[in-house]
Amino acid sequence: MVAIIRTQFESATGTKMTQEKMKLAVAQAAVDYIKPRLRDDSIVGVGTGSTANCFIDALAQVKDRFAAAVASSEATAERLRGHGIDVLDLNSVSQMEFYIDGADEFDPYMNLIKGGGGALTREKIVAAVAKEFVCIVDQSKQVDLLGAFPLPVEVIPMARSYVGRQLAALGGQPVYREGCVTDNGNVILDLHDLEILDPKALEVQLNNIVGVVTNGLFAQRGADLILMGTPEGVQTLK
Ligand code: ABF
């Protein structure tokens, strides 16, 4: 069960943070967390989304303190390179200290739903390699039970209808994400209206459907640390 380790207060004057400020604050908190732990040869895995973008911008301040990054999407790679940060192919990396990324939902056990931005497969691969997954979110992502956010499932295009029927048989409502082609050339079905009572089991069950590439449950390998922006400041959850 997640516990609050500490809260870094935004200001002594009691000024409340907007959602945008919360994202900036957790991005900076993530940089502050990894900075003393970085070595010259460290590789940092970087996620995708608006919170991850804030992190990339903050990471640029310490770009001389680590070797290179690995990106979970083409968009992230481009933003990292724009800051003069080297981006490596994951196949050339055997060790990665950190993976920093956002999420769409997290529960009290640090299980996540990710993939609202469509980059779930690469995000899951990069997270798998990292020693520590630091998840950066604002408090709107905190839930008791996962599933209010539609669960993204990346699917090989020719299997779309078959997988859709299998997902419907689980009790949810699969919706084809129109116009979305992932960086891997696949499509996404968003699974609505499913109460996720056992995220670890569901993650495996969905991966066993033929034609599914990945699903957006990060429960087998959830977050190791969550930095959550609140109106009062950044909370560290573990
Ligand atoms: C990625 O960005 C995703 O897995 C998730 O879908 C999304 C969260 O986006 P944002 O930070 O913009 O809310 O991490």
Side-chain angles (χ1 to χ4, degrees):
M1 178 76 92
V2 76
I4 300 171
I5 306 297
R6 69 177 185 142
T7 303
Q8 293 161 258
F9 289 98
E10 162 67 357
S11 78
T13 59
T15 313
K16 297 272 186 192
M17 283 206 256
T18 61
Q19 190 177 32
E20 193 50 36
K21 274 189 82 183
M22 287 185 228
K23 290 181 186 187
L24 292 169
V26 290
Q28 187 58 51
V31 170
D32 295 344
Y33 177 77
I34 66 170
K35 187 174 167 185
R37 297 167 172 87
L38 289 171
R39 297 187 319 255
D40 288 350
D41 61 350
S42 295
I43 307 293
V44 180
V46 184
T48 300
S50 61
T51 317
N53 281 344
C54 294
F55 171 72
I56 295 167
D57 298 345
L59 185 66
Q61 306 153 14
V62 296
K63 67 179 177 188
D64 298 329
R65 299 181 70 130
F66 62 98
V70 169
S72 67
S73 65
E74 302 296 342
T76 287
E78 196 177 317
R79 196 173 185 105
L80 286 163
R81 288 196 190 99
H83 282 296
I85 297 171
D86 275 350
V87 179
L88 300 180
D89 182 321
L90 185 61
N91 289 310
S92 66
V93 168
S94 56
Q95 271 216 55
M96 185 187 299
E97 272 68 28
F98 299 103
Y99 179 59
I100 318 291
D101 197 2
D104 299 305
E105 278 187 354
F106 74 94
D107 75 5
Y109 302 95
M110 324 255 298
N111 301 309
L112 316 172
I113 287 184
K114 290 173 50 54
L120 61 159
T121 298
R122 294 190 186 194
E123 289 172 353
K124 201 176 271 196
I125 295 168
V126 183
V129 177
K131 283 194 202 134
E132 188 171 4
F133 176 5
V134 179
C135 186
I136 49 177
V137 288
D138 64 73
Q139 68 175 16
S140 68
K141 311 292 179 72
Q142 187 173 36
V143 298
D144 289 330
L145 197 64
L146 298 176
F149 189 93
L151 176 62
V153 181
E154 180 165 349
V155 177
I156 301 283
M158 72 173 286
R160 189 184 87 203
S161 298
Y162 168 72
V163 172
R165 291 192 293 277
Q166 301 301 307
L167 296 178
L170 294 175
Q173 216 172 337
V175 176
Y176 174 44
R177 201 183 290 184
E178 294 277 354
C180 172
V181 178
T182 69
D183 283 350
N184 314 303
N186 297 314
V187 298
I188 291 186
L189 298 177
D190 291 305
L191 190 51
H192 291 247
D193 304 329
L194 195 67
E195 273 200 338
I196 301 176
L197 301 171
D198 187 345
K200 283 191 170 61
L202 183 65
E203 183 177 357
V204 172
Q205 189 179 7
L206 293 174
N207 284 342
N208 278 338
I209 299 173
V210 175
V212 167
V213 178
T214 333
N215 68 83
L217 279 170
F218 284 55
Q220 294 289 333
R221 202 273 197 255
D224 298 306
L225 188 76
I226 295 179
L227 298 171
M228 179 176 73
T230 75
E232 286 74 37
V234 175
Q235 287 188 353
T236 302
L237 310 174
K238 204 171 168 136

